[in-house]
Amino acid sequence: MNSLKEKIQAYIDDIQATSIENFQDKAANIEMFRVKYLGKKGIISELFEQFKAVPNEEKKDLGKALNLLKAAATEKIEEFKAFVEEHQVQDRTDDLTMPTDFSELGSRHVLSVVMNEIIDIFSRIGFTVADGPEIEDDYHVFTALNFALDHPARDMQDTFFVEKDPEVNKPTDVLLRTHTSGVQVRVMERQAPPIRVIMPGRVFRNEAISARAHCIFHQVEGLYVDKKVSFADLKQTLLYFAKEMFGEQTQVRLRPSYFPFTEPSAEMDISCNICGGKGCNICKGTGWLEILGCGMVDPNVLKACGIDPNEYTGFAFGMGVERMAMLKYQIRDLRLYFENDLRFLKQFEAIV
Ligand code: PHE
């Protein structure tokens, strides 16, 4: 006899073989299991329908089997529920083998990258790094560097003075350095030649902030003092620097200029690294880009620092780090450096 009885037995076997451990989402699967067997339109109520049509003499036997099936299903569900309760903690639906969220790593600011590159280039030819205070005095920033007493750079327009004398309401000589040249003086004061140093650092000028000017920026300055240091040494050193920084094909030219602390003084241009010297809107059609100021250390400066200008000569140069980065990475607006906008900063993640 096929039967209903066999069918019922097959269901019972099936139920008993079902293991909750194979269920992915346990709660949902238990409910599906319940609906399948014990739901209103489930297997068991369907079987009870068929049972009605069964001849009376079979009813007793089949009725028993059906009740066993029902009991097996109910029992299984109890078993499932007990399992879930017992494994509540281990049985989370989130995947504990997934890697955690990585905390984002920061990257170096483009100004640090460029500054380090400049330092690297000069260290390869024997320059060491010297540091000095950002809050300086008038003597180291101006007087020892041969600035005349009425030089306009001393003016309030350019220099941030840290204090004012309350009596006369005039600036005292404590100020934020307007260039890193003060470090030259400090190095020469404490060290006898030969001196070969570069001086990277932050400087301050009282300027309105725009795309082309900022009140804070960075410089790297260099100083070389020894016997028989010549203008040719200066030019070769800077040519080496330009080629390392902007590529082997880079050419340089020096134009006469004026700084109180160097004589003669010059400004150095490099051939435009964008158009290769043909003329473009970056070099304003000239084919040249100005990158730094330089010159032979004025004998008055050597004297002020206790170095005999009859025995020693020296050269010095100074460049703006922001400008170097602008030329190298074609950054058009100085303000981007200080805004900490991640969309800007992230563009330099790959360079270290
Ligand atoms: N200190 C100068 C400036 O800030 C740059 C410079 C340094 C020029 C050394 C000559 C020699 O513009």
Side-chain angles (χ1 to χ4, degrees), residues 142 144-147 151 179 181 184 188 221-225 231 234 238 255-267 292-302 313-318:
F142 298 125
L145 287 164
N146 204 31
F147 278 79
H151 194 283
H179 54 182
S181 309
Q184 279 191 37
M188 287 191 281
E221 188 160 312
L223 173 70
Y224 181 25
V225 182
F231 202 90
L234 168 64
L238 295 179
R255 284 178 288 104
S257 184
Y258 173 78
F259 300 103
F261 36 92
T262 48
E263 181 59 35
S265 303
E267 267 166 287
L292 53 79
C294 58
M296 300 305 290
V297 182
D298 193 293
N300 288 340
V301 176
L302 294 175
T313 50
F315 68 69
F317 57 87

Side-chain angles (χ1 to χ4, degrees), residues 227-247:
K227 289 178 178 152
K228 298 197 175 109
V229 174
S230 71
F231 202 90
D233 297 326
L234 168 64
K235 192 172 174 187
Q236 283 307 312
T237 305
L238 295 179
L239 176 63
Y240 155 80
F241 166 74
K243 285 178 181 287
E244 291 291 302
M245 189 74 186
F246 294 101

